[in-house]
């Protein structure tokens, strides 16, 4: 910023634009408000773009995990069939008893997984801190502090 002592009198000029006088406070606040609005709009658009890209990647990843789960299921199926065939043909149990043994093995695995899963589900508490702080919002808006 420089001062101008020309024929118009004393005044301040903005050096970023030659010959342009400095804006009034109202204009400066308007510029700041407009710039902040533009910045916020750009940040929201950036966030939307990032969320879309993340969702697209998550969708692809979920599809791949689904495919991996299906492939894993087939692996277990064919390993179970191979165990059934092995027990039925070489152990001399007969294929009926071998099928029952393989089914019993899977029943034990299912029971263990169910017990562990049930125990983990019983530990889930939801969002207790969020519920607690949400209950405090009405009092905080009224100017009362519960702390």
């Amino acid at each position: 910023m420089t001062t101008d002592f020309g024929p118009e009198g004393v005044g301040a000029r903005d050096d970023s634009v030659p010959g342009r006088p400095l804006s009034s406070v109202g204009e400066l606040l308007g510029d700041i408000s407009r710039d902040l609005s533009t910045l916020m709009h750009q940040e929201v658009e950036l966030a939307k773009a990032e969320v879309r890209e993340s969702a697209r990647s998550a969708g692809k990843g979920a599809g791949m995990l689904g495919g991996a789960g299906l492939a894993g299921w087939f692996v277990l199926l064919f390993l179970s069939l191979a165990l059934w065939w092995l027990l039925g043909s070489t152990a001399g149990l007969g294929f009926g008893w071998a099928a029952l043994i393989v089914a019993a093995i899977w029943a034990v695995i299912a029971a263990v997984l169910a017990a562990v899963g049930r125990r983990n589900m019983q530990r889930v508490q939801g969002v207790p801190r969020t519920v607690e702080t949400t209950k405090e919002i009405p009092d905080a808006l009224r100017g009362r502090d519960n702390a």
Side-chain angles (χ1 to χ4, degrees):
M1 177 171 54
T2 60
T3 53
D4 184 8
F5 296 103
E8 293 90 28
V10 179
R13 286 184 295 126
D14 185 351
D15 286 337
S16 64
V17 179
R20 178 178 173 220
L22 276 179
S23 302
S24 68
V25 173
E27 289 174 339
L28 288 174
L29 289 176
D31 288 346
I32 291 171
S33 174
R34 196 171 27 261
D35 290 346
L36 282 174
S37 175
T38 301
L39 177 64
M40 292 304 295
H41 179 72
Q42 289 172 343
E43 288 297 321
V44 167
E45 290 302 316
L46 176 62
K48 285 180 184 179
E50 287 177 335
V51 166
R52 277 192 297 270
E53 184 61 33
S54 294
R56 191 175 302 122
S57 294
K60 288 178 184 177
M64 295 294 174
L65 287 174
L70 179 63
W73 182 80
F74 276 116
V75 167
L76 290 176
L77 173 67
F78 285 110
L79 285 175
S80 297
L81 288 172
L83 179 62
W84 166 71
W85 186 263
L86 180 71
L87 289 175
S89 63
T90 59
L93 297 173
F95 289 109
W97 287 107
L100 284 175
I101 291 171
V102 172
I105 291 170
W106 279 112
V108 169
I109 291 171
V112 168
L113 290 174
V116 171
R118 184 171 184 266
R119 190 174 334 121
N120 285 337
M121 290 300 287
Q122 288 173 341
R123 291 184 195 154
V124 174
Q125 297 178 6
V127 287
R129 289 177 43 198
T130 302
V131 170
E132 182 181 320
T133 57
T134 304
K135 288 178 183 177
E136 295 173 2
I137 290 174
D139 286 335
L141 291 174
R142 290 185 199 107
R144 292 184 232 144
D145 187 16
N146 289 344

